[in-house]
Amino acid sequence: FSGTPNPISFVETEIKGDGMIRFEFIGGIRADGLTPGELEKAIQAKYVPAYYTHLNVTVTPVVRYFYVDGEINGAGGGRLPYTGQITVTRAIATAGGFNPFANRKNVRLYRVDGSFKVINCIKALEDPKLDLPVYPGDKIVVKRRLW
C-alpha cells in the first residue's frame, strides 16, 4: 500500500482454501482466478473512498519453483519458476529439452512429500494421461540411457 499521508504496513497474505484473502477493515476479497492487476483493483475499490481518498495497491505474487536436472540440453535446467499448470514433458521442454544421452523412458518425478513416479516420456507424448502434472517444489530427474 502506498499513496496515503500516513504509511500503511506491508501486508503479506496467502489465498485461503476458499479462494479468499482477508484484510483489516474490509474483510474478505475473492482472489482465486484473478490476475495480480485485477486483484489490485478489487482491493483498491474496497478501501477507496470508504477508508482512504487515495491509495495505491501493489500485488506481488510469491515466486515458487520446480527443478529439472540430468540429461537436458544447455543450461536451462536447475530451478525454474512455477507459473501455473505444467506437465513433465512441458517442464523438460522449458528446461531445454532432452539431450542425445537422455533416457526418455525412465524420467523420475520426485514429489515434495518424498514419493516419486517413473514416467516414460515417449508414451506420455502419445497419451496425455501419462504426462503427470508438476507442482511447486517437485524435482524432475532425466537419467542417462545405457547404450
Side-chain angles (χ1 to χ4, degrees):
F1 298 113
S2 64
T4 61
N6 298 323
I8 302 172
S9 299
F10 173 80
V11 176
E12 184 173 336
T13 187
E14 292 182 9
I15 299 174
K16 307 296 182 207
D18 61 359
M20 303 289 285
I21 54 175
R22 287 167 182 64
F23 292 94
E24 192 173 9
F25 304 121
I26 63 171
I29 294 179
R30 175 151 309 280
D32 187 30
L34 298 181
T35 66
E38 293 168 338
L39 184 55
E40 289 171 356
K41 289 176 185 175
I43 295 168
Q44 186 176 31
K46 289 275 193 169
Y47 276 114
V48 176
Y51 296 97
Y52 300 101
T53 56
H54 182 73
L55 178 69
N56 296 323
V57 178
T58 303
V59 173
T60 306
V62 175
V63 179
R64 302 176 297 171
Y65 299 94
F66 65 92
Y67 304 85
V68 181
D69 192 16
E71 301 299 321
I72 54 172
N73 286 318
R79 186 174 77 164
L80 298 167
Y82 180 84
T83 57
Q85 294 179 342
I86 191 167
T87 63
V88 171
T89 58
R90 287 185 181 175
I92 292 169
T94 300
F98 293 108
N99 75 21
F101 304 105
N103 184 346
R104 298 171 191 223
K105 295 180 181 179
N106 186 18
V107 174
R108 293 186 180 237
L109 172 63
Y110 293 92
R111 300 287 189 193
V112 291
D113 66 3
S115 66
F116 75 92
K117 305 275 185 191
V118 176
I119 295 103
N120 181 332
C121 289
I122 294 170
K123 288 184 179 180
L125 288 171
E126 295 170 4
D127 183 358
K129 290 181 277 186
L130 301 175
D131 197 3
L132 299 178
V134 176
Y135 301 110
D138 285 355
K139 182 177 181 179
I140 300 166
V141 178
V142 179
K143 301 273 189 181
R144 181 179 280 258
R145 69 181 158 130
L146 301 174
W147 297 97

